[in-house]
Amino acid sequence: MIEWSDEDLMIRDAVRGWIDARVRPNLDALESGDLPPYGLLRDLYTTFGMDELARSSFRARTRKDEDAGAGDRPGGGSAAMTMIPVIELCRVAPGLVAAMGVGLGLAAGTIMKRGTPEQKERWALPLLTMEKIGAWAITEPDSGSDAFGGMRATARKDGDEYVINGAKTFITNGPYADTIVFYCKLDDGRDPRDREILTFVLDKGMPGLEQSGPLRKMGLHSSPTGELSLTDVRAGADRLLAAGEGGGRESARQNFVTERAGVAAMALGVIEECLHLSVEYAKARELWGRRIGDFQLIQLKLAKMEVARLNVQNLVFRHIEMQRAGRTPTLAEASAMKLYAAQAASEVAQEAVQLFGGNGYMSEFRVEQLARDAKSFQIYAGTDEIQVTHIARDLLSR
């Protein structure tokens, strides 16, 4: 794949039209936190029939009629149809994609991979159709990048139930989530670092489960982030997802692959918008009687932005082709995609702010928001440093 097809471009233009009508007028409310993103995301799903597509895809999967590669696209539909809304939304409000992606790709994706038919019907389907909001809870205040080794949340067996205790932080959709995929360790007396990782599905309002309000953060304001606190939450065995090969650790790693590969599409949206805004500004802004686009230092900035756009777009196209072929990237491949794309988006956005000068520091010119949002790509789903470690370990193991 070297370019979008005519059908892809039609989808892109339709999504852009919806964003212009529904998202851009609400940017201030999204940025201030006055407007949670979920109503807009549900409108996106109903407008383009994505809810019905997800429902029909779910039914097909339960009948085992879908191809083997579809497991990487929990919401159903073509790879391009999955990527294009991500790219276009990230040109305006990347937080919307973070909120949507966690509910669909991580929460619903985990249940679809590890759940029984009853669990999928009960919890995954409402997430896939955006009827309910999902969260994926693994990060803890004292664990950070050491997600497994430093995990302190525990589940203790008590008769036919488990008693769960612990805290999670930086949880996307945490304040509003209806359904929470929660990772913790089995309290079985072994050394904490050696304990089995369990994965539960929890519901909002369960006794002992507290969801904080939205946390204040640097960027991605349109993606509510919160904390979870569990005190003696009782969960029956029907809420425990199957361990499968590799247990809960492998389940989380599979989701890291999905999340990291998806960052390339998010980064592409930010890069495209920063480049577009910068080109238009370079044409219109004049200094010393000349438009600033005539100065070579400005031209160098624009040229580097275009190089980044082409490189990240090629990563996205490669990912689409892999999905079409039914192939999932390795953890190292997904980490490499995320590392490069995240750094490229952050660098392009910072250069856009610099190109705009004082105006770039003002929120009304939008590159300020995109620069703050792009920085998050280098932190969540594993920091740049963690990506380097995963890539290098793979290379050294060959």
Side-chain angles (χ1 to χ4, degrees):
M1 182 175 186
I2 60 173
E3 193 51 86
W4 297 113
S5 69
D6 290 342
E7 181 181 354
D8 294 336
L9 293 177
M10 289 176 61
I11 294 171
R12 182 201 67 184
D13 291 344
V15 172
R16 281 185 182 178
W18 179 86
I19 291 172
D20 289 342
R22 301 287 289 119
V23 179
R24 291 188 189 274
N26 288 298
L27 263 179
D28 287 345
L30 288 167
E31 279 294 296
S32 67
D34 291 337
L35 178 67
Y38 310 109
L40 288 172
L41 292 173
R42 290 184 177 118
D43 186 73
L44 171 70
Y45 257 54
T46 56
T47 297
F48 292 96
M50 296 163 72
D51 53 346
E52 290 303 320
L53 179 63
R55 187 172 286 105
S56 62
S57 176
F58 177 87
R59 297 302 179 202
R61 289 185 66 179
T62 56
R63 294 192 301 268
K64 299 182 179 181
D65 290 336
E66 203 167 62
D67 63 60
D72 296 322
R73 302 191 300 278
S78 70
M81 182 58 190
T82 302
M83 291 292 189
I84 288 172
V86 168
I87 296 167
E88 295 304 316
L89 284 169
C90 280
R91 295 184 65 145
V92 182
L96 292 178
V97 174
M100 178 173 65
V102 166
L104 299 177
L106 298 185
T110 300
I111 299 169
M112 291 299 290
K113 290 185 181 77
R114 301 283 178 163
T116 64
E118 293 77 15
Q119 289 172 326
K120 294 175 185 179
E121 183 81 28
R122 180 178 176 183
W123 286 301
L125 180 57
L127 295 178
L128 293 172
T129 58
M130 286 294 296
E131 294 171 34
K132 290 191 175 181
I133 302 161
W136 191 75
I138 189 169
T139 303
E140 297 186 2
D142 296 321
S143 63
S145 297
D146 186 17
F148 299 130
M151 186 178 293
R152 295 184 179 181
T154 62
R156 174 177 53 84
K157 196 79 163 61
D158 183 22
D160 295 332
E161 295 182 318
Y162 292 84
V163 180
I164 307 173
N165 286 277
K168 302 290 182 179
T169 192
F170 308 146
I171 305 304
T172 300
N173 298 335
Y176 301 100
D178 303 300
T179 304
I180 301 166
V181 175
F182 189 90
Y183 287 81
C184 58
K185 288 186 175 180
L186 177 63
D187 186 358
D188 58 2
R190 288 187 293 171
D191 184 282
R193 299 189 75 89
D194 297 329
R195 292 175 181 175
E196 180 184 357
I197 302 291
L198 302 180
T199 312
F200 290 90
V201 184
L202 308 177
D203 290 320
K204 183 176 185 176
M206 292 179 67
L209 170 60
E210 295 184 9
Q211 299 170 243
S212 77
L215 301 174
R216 295 180 63 185
K217 55 187 190 289
M218 177 179 175
L220 293 186
H221 292 170
S222 52
S223 172
T225 302
E227 296 177 328
L228 304 176
S229 176
L230 279 74
T231 304
D232 292 337
V233 174
R234 304 190 73 87
D238 60 319
R239 294 182 176 274
L240 178 63
L241 297 179
E245 185 178 354
R249 283 179 169 84
E250 182 58 29
S251 168
R253 288 193 183 98
Q254 291 171 354
N255 283 324
F256 288 150
V257 170
T258 301
E259 191 176 22
R260 291 174 185 179
V263 169
M266 298 178 70
L268 179 58
V270 169
I271 292 169
E272 287 185 347
E273 186 71 359
C274 285
L275 177 57
H276 168 72
L277 293 172
S278 296
V279 168
E280 293 304 307
Y281 191 78
K283 290 178 179 178
R285 176 68 166 169
E286 291 189 0
L287 290 174
W288 299 290
R290 300 170 61 187
R291 65 178 191 171
I292 64 172
D294 292 334
F295 295 105
Q296 284 190 332
L297 283 176
I298 299 299
Q299 292 173 356
L300 178 62
K301 293 181 187 299
L302 297 176
K304 287 185 175 180
M305 290 181 190
E306 174 65 1
V307 171
R309 186 193 69 81
L310 288 171
N311 285 338
V312 175
Q313 180 178 259
N314 285 337
L315 288 177
V316 171
F317 285 166
R318 179 177 183 271
H319 190 210
I320 291 173
E321 288 301 318
M322 291 178 72
Q323 287 185 316
R324 287 175 175 170
R327 182 190 161 195
T328 301
T330 65
L331 180 61
E333 287 175 328
S335 297
M337 291 173 65
K338 180 188 183 295
L339 178 66
Y340 179 83
Q343 290 181 347
S346 189
E347 290 169 4
V348 165
Q350 290 291 338
E351 285 287 15
V353 171
Q354 195 69 22
L355 186 148
F356 274 69
N359 286 333
Y361 207 66
M362 301 294 109
S363 61
E364 65 184 286
F365 285 86
R366 296 210 47 249
V367 290
E368 174 267 347
Q369 172 221 318
L370 293 171
R372 288 186 289 104
D373 288 351
K375 184 60 184 175
S376 69
F377 299 164
Q378 294 183 267
I379 299 173
Y380 82 81
T383 62
D384 281 3
E385 292 76 14
I386 291 297
Q387 312 309 316
V388 169
T389 298
H390 287 161
I391 298 165
R393 283 178 179 171
D394 181 69
L395 293 172
L396 294 169
S397 66
R398 295 176 185 175

